[in-house]
Amino acid sequence: MTLDQLKPKQRASITAVAHEGPLAQRLMALGLLPGTPVRMLRRALGGDPLEISVMGYALSLRKDEARKIEIEIQPAD
């Protein structure tokens, strides 16, 4: 599953960044590393961009960027 498929308020853990090069480096510099927990906050109308919570801050990503981040859904609290 990829990050763009996460529903609002769902939690997940990043398993991989499936892209190489400058985009992957930028995503990892923003804290999107394997093992990092994330939570979907909201999506814009039309679904792009989306806003996630990662490492204590809110981050907006384009849908095509989020599609490059593989995740594993975490059970609800």
Side-chain angles (χ1 to χ4, degrees), residues 8 40-51 60-61 63:
M40 178 65 70
L41 296 176
R42 66 183 135 249
R43 295 173 181 271
L45 291 175
D48 198 17
L50 48 92
E51 184 178 12
S60 291
L61 292 173
K63 202 175 197 178

Side-chain angles (χ1 to χ4, degrees), residues 8-13 37-40 53 72-77:
K9 300 192 181 180
Q10 270 189 316
R11 295 176 186 270
S13 180
V38 295
R39 181 171 54 100
M40 178 65 70
S53 173
E72 181 177 291
I73 301 274
Q74 299 299 311
D77 294 338

Side-chain angles (χ1 to χ4, degrees), residues 20-66:
E20 295 181 10
L23 177 60
Q25 290 175 351
R26 184 176 78 83
L27 293 173
M28 289 189 277
L30 292 170
L32 300 172
L33 301 164
T36 303
V38 295
R39 181 171 54 100
M40 178 65 70
L41 296 176
R42 66 183 135 249
R43 295 173 181 271
L45 291 175
D48 198 17
L50 48 92
E51 184 178 12
I52 62 168
S53 173
V54 59
M55 298 178 67
Y57 73 97
L59 173 66
S60 291
L61 292 173
R62 292 183 201 114
K63 202 175 197 178
D64 63 321
E65 294 170 331

